[in-house]
Coordinates of all heavy atoms in Angstrom, one line a residue:
D1 N 1.9 12.5 -10.9 CA 0.9 12.0 -9.9 C 1.3 12.2 -8.5 O 0.5 12.6 -7.6 CB 0.5 10.6 -10.2 CG -0.2 10.4 -11.5 OD1 -0.9 11.3 -11.9 OD2 0.0 9.3 -12.2
R2 N 2.6 11.9 -8.2 CA 3.1 12.1 -7.0 C 3.1 13.6 -6.5 O 2.6 13.9 -5.4 CB 4.6 11.7 -6.9 CG 5.3 11.8 -5.5 CD 4.8 10.7 -4.5 NE 5.4 10.9 -3.2 CZ 5.1 10.2 -2.2 NH1 4.2 9.3 -2.2 NH2 5.7 10.4 -1.0
L3 N 3.4 14.6 -7.4 CA 3.3 16.0 -7.1 C 1.9 16.3 -6.9 O 1.6 17.3 -6.0 CB 3.9 16.7 -8.3 CG 5.5 16.7 -8.4 CD1 5.9 17.3 -9.7 CD2 6.2 17.3 -7.2
I4 N 0.9 15.8 -7.6 CA -0.5 16.1 -7.4 C -0.9 15.9 -5.9 O -1.7 16.6 -5.4 CB -1.4 15.3 -8.3 CG1 -1.2 15.9 -9.7 CG2 -2.8 15.3 -8.0 CD1 -1.9 15.1 -10.9
Y5 N -0.2 14.9 -5.3 CA -0.6 14.6 -3.9 C 0.2 15.3 -3.0 O -0.2 15.8 -1.9 CB -0.2 13.0 -3.7 CG -1.4 12.1 -4.1 CD1 -1.4 11.7 -5.4 CD2 -2.4 11.8 -3.3 CE1 -2.5 10.9 -5.9 CE2 -3.4 10.9 -3.7 CZ -3.5 10.5 -5.0 OH -4.5 9.7 -5.5
T6 N 1.5 15.6 -3.3 CA 2.5 16.2 -2.3 C 2.5 17.7 -2.3 O 2.6 18.4 -1.3 CB 3.9 15.7 -2.4 OG1 4.3 16.0 -3.8 CG2 4.0 14.2 -2.2
Y7 N 2.3 18.3 -3.5 CA 2.4 19.7 -3.7 C 1.4 20.4 -2.9 O 1.7 21.4 -2.1 CB 2.3 20.1 -5.2 CG 2.2 21.6 -5.5 CD1 3.3 22.4 -5.2 CD2 1.0 22.2 -6.0 CE1 3.3 23.7 -5.5 CE2 1.0 23.5 -6.2 CZ 2.1 24.3 -6.0 OH 2.1 25.7 -6.2
P8 N 0.1 20.0 -2.9 CA -0.9 20.7 -2.1 C -0.6 20.7 -0.6 O -0.9 21.7 0.1 CB -2.2 20.1 -2.4 CG -2.1 19.5 -3.8 CD -0.6 19.1 -3.8
L9 N 0.0 19.6 -0.1 CA 0.4 19.5 1.3 C 1.4 20.5 1.6 O 1.3 21.2 2.7 CB 0.9 18.1 1.5 CG -0.2 16.9 1.5 CD1 0.6 15.6 1.5 CD2 -1.2 17.0 2.5
H10 N 2.5 20.6 0.8 CA 3.5 21.6 1.0 C 3.0 23.0 1.0 O 3.4 23.8 1.9 CB 4.7 21.4 -0.1 CG 5.5 20.3 0.1 ND1 6.4 20.2 1.2 CD2 5.7 19.1 -0.6 CE1 7.1 19.0 1.1 NE2 6.6 18.3 0.1
M11 N 2.1 23.2 0.1 CA 1.6 24.6 0.0 C 0.6 24.9 1.1 O 0.6 26.1 1.5 CB 0.9 24.8 -1.4 CG 1.9 24.7 -2.6 SD 3.3 25.8 -2.5 CE 2.5 27.3 -2.8
A12 N -0.1 24.0 1.6 CA -1.0 24.3 2.7 C -0.2 24.6 4.0 O -0.6 25.5 4.8 CB -1.9 23.0 3.0
V13 N 1.0 24.0 4.1 CA 1.9 24.3 5.2 C 2.4 25.8 5.0 O 2.3 26.5 6.0 CB 3.0 23.4 5.2 CG1 4.1 23.8 6.3 CG2 2.6 21.9 5.6
K14 N 2.8 26.1 3.8 CA 3.3 27.5 3.6 C 2.3 28.6 3.8 O 2.6 29.6 4.3 CB 4.1 27.5 2.2 CG 5.2 26.6 2.1 CD 5.9 26.8 0.7 CE 7.0 25.8 0.6 NZ 8.1 26.0 1.5
F15 N 1.0 28.3 3.3 CA 0.1 29.3 3.4 C -0.7 29.3 4.8 O -1.6 30.1 5.0 CB -0.9 29.1 2.3 CG -0.5 29.8 1.0 CD1 0.4 29.2 0.2 CD2 -1.0 31.1 0.7 CE1 0.8 29.8 -1.0 CE2 -0.6 31.7 -0.5 CZ 0.3 31.1 -1.3
Q16 N -0.3 28.3 5.6 CA -1.0 28.2 6.9 C -2.5 28.0 6.8 O -3.3 28.7 7.5 CB -0.6 29.4 7.8 CG 0.9 29.5 8.1 CD 1.2 30.7 9.0 OE1 0.4 31.4 9.5 NE2 2.5 31.0 9.1
T17 N -2.8 27.2 5.9 CA -4.3 26.7 5.7 C -4.4 25.3 6.1 O -4.3 24.4 5.2 CB -4.6 27.0 4.3 OG1 -3.7 26.4 3.4 CG2 -4.7 28.5 4.0
P18 N -4.5 24.9 7.4 CA -4.6 23.5 7.8 C -5.7 22.7 7.0 O -5.5 21.6 6.8 CB -4.9 23.6 9.3 CG -4.4 25.0 9.7 CD -4.7 25.8 8.5
L19 N -6.9 23.4 6.8 CA -7.9 22.6 6.2 C -7.7 22.5 4.7 O -7.8 23.5 3.9 CB -9.3 23.3 6.4 CG -10.5 22.6 6.0 CD1 -10.7 21.2 6.7 CD2 -11.7 23.4 6.2
L20 N -7.3 21.3 4.3 CA -7.0 21.1 2.8 C -8.0 20.2 2.3 O -8.2 19.0 2.8 CB -5.6 20.5 2.7 CG -5.1 20.1 1.3 CD1 -5.2 21.2 0.3 CD2 -3.7 19.5 1.4
V21 N -8.7 20.6 1.3 CA -10.0 19.9 0.8 C -9.6 19.1 -0.5 O -9.1 19.5 -1.5 CB -11.0 20.9 0.5 CG1 -12.3 20.3 0.0 CG2 -11.3 21.8 1.7
Y22 N -10.1 17.8 -0.4 CA -10.1 17.0 -1.6 C -11.5 16.5 -1.9 O -12.3 16.6 -1.0 CB -9.2 15.7 -1.3 CG -7.7 16.1 -1.1 CD1 -7.1 16.3 0.1 CD2 -6.8 16.1 -2.2 CE1 -5.8 16.6 0.3 CE2 -5.5 16.4 -2.0 CZ -5.0 16.6 -0.8 OH -3.6 16.9 -0.6
G23 N -11.7 15.9 -3.0 CA -13.0 15.5 -3.4 C -13.3 14.1 -2.9 O -13.7 14.0 -1.6
E24 N -13.2 13.1 -3.6 CA -13.6 11.7 -3.1 C -12.4 10.9 -2.5 O -11.3 11.1 -3.1 CB -14.3 10.9 -4.2 CG -13.4 10.3 -5.3 CD -13.4 11.2 -6.5 OE1 -13.0 12.3 -6.4 OE2 -13.6 10.7 -7.6
N25 N -12.8 10.1 -1.6 CA -11.8 9.1 -1.1 C -11.8 7.9 -2.1 O -12.7 7.1 -2.1 CB -12.3 8.7 0.3 CG -11.3 7.6 0.9 OD1 -10.5 7.0 0.3 ND2 -11.5 7.4 2.2
V26 N -10.8 7.9 -3.0 CA -10.8 7.0 -4.1 C -10.9 5.6 -3.6 O -11.6 4.7 -4.2 CB -9.5 7.2 -5.0 CG1 -9.4 6.2 -6.1 CG2 -9.6 8.6 -5.6
S27 N -10.0 5.2 -2.6 CA -10.0 3.8 -2.2 C -11.3 3.4 -1.6 O -11.7 2.2 -1.9 CB -8.9 3.7 -1.1 OG -7.6 3.8 -1.6
Y28 N -12.0 4.3 -0.9 CA -13.3 3.9 -0.3 C -14.4 3.9 -1.4 O -15.3 3.0 -1.3 CB -13.7 4.7 0.9 CG -14.9 4.3 1.6 CD1 -15.0 3.1 2.4 CD2 -16.2 5.0 1.4 CE1 -16.1 2.7 2.9 CE2 -17.3 4.5 1.9 CZ -17.3 3.4 2.7 OH -18.5 3.0 3.3
E29 N -14.4 4.9 -2.2 CA -15.5 5.0 -3.2 C -15.5 4.0 -4.2 O -16.6 3.5 -4.7 CB -15.5 6.4 -3.7 CG -15.8 7.6 -2.8 CD -17.2 7.6 -2.2 OE1 -18.2 7.1 -3.0 OE2 -17.5 7.9 -1.1
Y30 N -14.3 3.6 -4.7 CA -14.1 2.8 -5.8 C -13.4 1.5 -5.6 O -13.3 0.7 -6.4 CB -13.4 3.5 -6.9 CG -14.1 4.9 -7.2 CD1 -13.3 6.1 -7.2 CD2 -15.4 5.0 -7.4 CE1 -13.9 7.3 -7.4 CE2 -16.0 6.3 -7.6 CZ -15.3 7.4 -7.6 OH -15.8 8.6 -7.8
G31 N -12.9 1.3 -4.3 CA -12.3 0.0 -4.0 C -10.8 0.2 -4.1 O -10.3 0.6 -5.2
G32 N -10.0 0.0 -3.0 CA -8.5 0.1 -3.1 C -7.9 -0.4 -1.8 O -8.6 -0.8 -0.8
A33 N -6.6 -0.3 -1.8 CA -5.8 -0.8 -0.6 C -6.2 -0.1 0.7 O -6.2 -0.8 1.8 CB -4.3 -0.7 -1.0
D34 N -6.4 1.2 0.7 CA -6.7 1.9 1.9 C -8.2 2.1 2.0 O -8.7 3.2 2.0 CB -5.9 3.3 1.9 CG -6.0 4.0 3.1 OD1 -6.1 3.3 4.2 OD2 -6.0 5.2 3.2
Y35 N -8.9 1.0 2.2 CA -10.4 1.0 2.1 C -10.9 1.3 3.6 O -11.2 0.5 4.3 CB -10.8 -0.4 1.6 CG -12.4 -0.5 1.5 CD1 -13.0 0.1 0.4 CD2 -13.2 -1.1 2.5 CE1 -14.4 0.1 0.2 CE2 -14.5 -1.2 2.3 CZ -15.2 -0.6 1.2 OH -16.5 -0.7 1.0
V36 N -10.9 2.6 3.8 CA -11.5 3.0 5.2 C -12.4 4.2 4.9 O -12.1 5.1 4.2 CB -10.3 3.4 6.0 CG1 -10.8 3.9 7.4 CG2 -9.3 2.3 6.2
E37 N -13.5 4.2 5.6 CA -14.4 5.4 5.5 C -14.0 6.3 6.6 O -14.1 6.1 7.7 CB -15.9 4.9 5.7 CG -16.8 6.1 5.5 CD -18.2 5.8 5.7 OE1 -18.5 4.8 6.6 OE2 -19.1 6.4 5.2
T38 N -13.5 7.5 6.1 CA -13.0 8.5 7.0 C -13.0 9.8 6.4 O -12.9 9.9 5.1 CB -11.5 8.1 7.5 OG1 -11.1 9.3 8.3 CG2 -10.6 8.0 6.3
Y39 N -13.2 10.9 7.1 CA -13.1 12.3 6.5 C -11.7 12.6 6.3 O -11.4 13.5 5.5 CB -13.8 13.3 7.4 CG -12.9 14.0 8.4 CD1 -12.3 15.2 8.0 CD2 -12.8 13.5 9.7 CE1 -11.4 15.8 8.9 CE2 -12.0 14.2 10.5 CZ -11.3 15.3 10.2 OH -10.4 16.0 11.1
S40 N -10.8 12.1 7.0 CA -9.3 12.5 7.0 C -8.6 12.0 5.8 O -8.7 10.7 5.5 CB -8.6 12.0 8.3 OG -7.2 12.4 8.2
A41 N -7.9 12.8 5.1 CA -7.2 12.4 3.9 C -5.7 12.4 4.2 O -4.9 12.3 3.3 CB -7.4 13.5 2.8
K42 N -5.3 12.2 5.4 CA -3.9 12.2 5.8 C -3.2 10.9 5.3 O -2.0 11.0 5.0 CB -3.7 12.2 7.3 CG -3.8 13.7 8.0 CD -3.4 13.7 9.4 CE -3.3 15.1 9.9 NZ -2.7 15.2 11.3
E43 N -4.0 9.9 5.1 CA -3.3 8.6 4.7 C -3.4 8.4 3.1 O -3.0 7.4 2.7 CB -3.9 7.5 5.4 CG -3.8 7.5 6.9 CD -2.4 7.5 7.4 OE1 -1.6 6.7 6.8 OE2 -2.0 8.2 8.3
Q44 N -3.8 9.4 2.3 CA -4.1 9.1 1.0 C -2.8 8.9 0.2 O -2.8 8.3 -0.9 CB -4.9 10.3 0.3 CG -4.1 11.6 0.1 CD -4.9 12.5 -0.8 OE1 -5.6 12.0 -1.6 NE2 -4.7 13.7 -0.6
L45 N -1.6 9.3 0.7 CA -0.4 9.0 0.0 C -0.2 7.5 -0.1 O 0.7 7.0 -0.8 CB 0.8 9.7 0.6 CG 1.0 11.2 0.3 CD1 2.1 11.7 1.1 CD2 1.3 11.3 -1.2

């Protein structure tokens, strides 16, 4: 699970693709500790 979060970040850096796309904001859509409505996924870790 940790790699699922970190690996795409590392690879986006290596491929120089700043725009990294994820589906839903789990915390906001379903309730969680990081309950913030935002487009940015920088805090999802």
Side-chain angles (χ1 to χ4, degrees):
D1 293 328
R2 182 71 180 177
L3 289 171
I4 287 172
Y5 281 86
T6 58
Y7 175 68
L9 294 170
H10 285 292
M11 296 304 288
V13 171
K14 294 182 185 300
F15 276 82
Q16 298 181 8
T17 51
L19 188 62
L20 175 57
V21 180
Y22 294 92
E24 74 266 59
N25 180 345
V26 173
S27 291
Y28 184 75
E29 294 294 325
Y30 312 127
D34 190 28
Y35 185 77
V36 179
E37 186 183 24
T38 175
Y39 94 87
S40 176
K42 279 194 174 183
E43 300 298 317
Q44 71 167 332
L45 280 172

